[in-house]
Each structure stands twice: as structure tokens, then as C-alpha cells.
Amino acid sequence: MFSGIVESLAMIESIHSNQDSKEFIINSHLSSDLSIGQSLSHNGVCLTVTKFDKSTYGVTVVSETLQRSNLGLLREGSYLNLERSLKIGDFLDGHLVQGHVDQTAVCIETPQDKGPGLYRFECYHPPKFPIIEKGSICLDGISFTVVDTADSQFSIYIIPYSYQSTNMQFIERGTQVNIEFDIIGKYITKLYERKKGTSSNDD
């Protein structure tokens, strides 16, 4: 479980392709503090550390994750947002994030100077779960508050700190981001669908 508060910006040093997966070797100052089997959020995707040394560590990204998220689009030299999993007793400064990407969206509008400010996104497919104005949404592992929403579009405001310390500094029109919808909204949606289905059967 994560909070959507990025700890570090890390670079992919190398990518090794296997039959149904890819191994990312990631350069990060967090590497020396990691352990094998530890979970980290990478652009909002929970991945397990398979090896590490003083400056780099490795993770395996399976085919489903490559297809569902933007990790399949990344190349050597690409930057990732990193967050280590929450500890019991930690402050929850963002919102509860599982590290399970639901779908992706594309940036369709940026501020005129492409710095901090209002950014608008459009989901590639109709949103699987509700996007609520002033609610929480996780983009590339970052907890944001939704400014407004309409159909498959929504906007967020990127503050200077988030812009400078995450991969949001590289975002432009056409950039694809990972979405994880708010877990509370996901459970409510599932319960509503189940109740609606039960009511229909009763009829």
C-alpha cells in the first residue's frame, strides 16, 4: 500500500527483454537501502525488487503490466516516480494507493509555459470508475486532487514542488500516464453494480 507521495525520481539505466517480460535496471539513491522482495511503486505500478547494489536495482515487469500501463513505452534514460510502501504509523499525506494501475490517459492540455499549473487529461477508454470533482486520483504514482471532470476528461493542478520533483516536469501534450482510481470509489461502484444486478434478478 502506498500514499501517492513520490520519494524519488529515478532513471532506467537498462532494459532487458525476455519472452513474456522485461527487466528494468534502475539507477536510484534508494538502491542501497532496499532488500530483495521489497515492493516499490514505479509510476504507480507496484513492482518487486529482484536484485540491488549500491546504485542500482532490478525489477521484472510482466507482459500484462507492460500492456496495461505506460511502462511498456519507457526506454533507457526514461524517468520513473518511486515510492516505498507505507509502514504502519506513517503519515498518510496523499491517499490510499494500491499500486495497481486501472488504465491510462493522455495529456491533452498543458499551461502555456508548460510549467506548474493546470493540466487536462483524457482517458483512452471510458473511465472504469467514477472520477469525482475534488476527489483523489493517482497519476504515475502521484496523488492528485481532481479540479474538474467531464465525460472521459479531467484536470489536475500540478504545484511547483510536484512538478520539479517528479516526472511531471517531462509531461507534454500526448504524454501517456497511468491511472489508479480511488479505492473507496472502486468498492462503492462494485457494491452498487452487485446490488443493481441482484435487484434486476429479483424482478
Side-chain angles (χ1 to χ4, degrees), residues 109-126:
E109 185 179 333
T110 67
Q112 192 168 7
D113 59 1
K114 295 203 311 186
L118 194 71
Y119 286 74
R120 181 167 292 277
F121 297 85
E122 184 168 12
C123 297
Y124 277 107
H125 308 287

Side-chain angles (χ1 to χ4, degrees), residues 7 16 77 110 126 175 177 184-185 187 190:
E7 284 188 76
H16 307 287
T110 67
T175 299
V177 297
I184 297 175
Y187 274 114
K190 288 295 184 182

Side-chain angles (χ1 to χ4, degrees), residues 91-149:
F91 289 108
L92 187 60
D93 294 314
H95 70 282
L96 288 175
V97 176
Q98 292 181 294
H100 301 158
V101 172
D102 294 301
Q103 62 186 86
T104 56
V106 62
C107 179
I108 59 173
E109 185 179 333
T110 67
Q112 192 168 7
D113 59 1
K114 295 203 311 186
L118 194 71
Y119 286 74
R120 181 167 292 277
F121 297 85
E122 184 168 12
C123 297
Y124 277 107
H125 308 287
K128 290 184 177 181
F129 302 99
I131 302 177
I132 306 299
E133 184 176 324
K134 303 302 182 289
S136 296
I137 195 167
C138 184
L139 302 182
D140 270 4
I142 309 168
S143 174
F144 287 108
T145 298
V146 176
V147 175
D148 59 37
T149 180

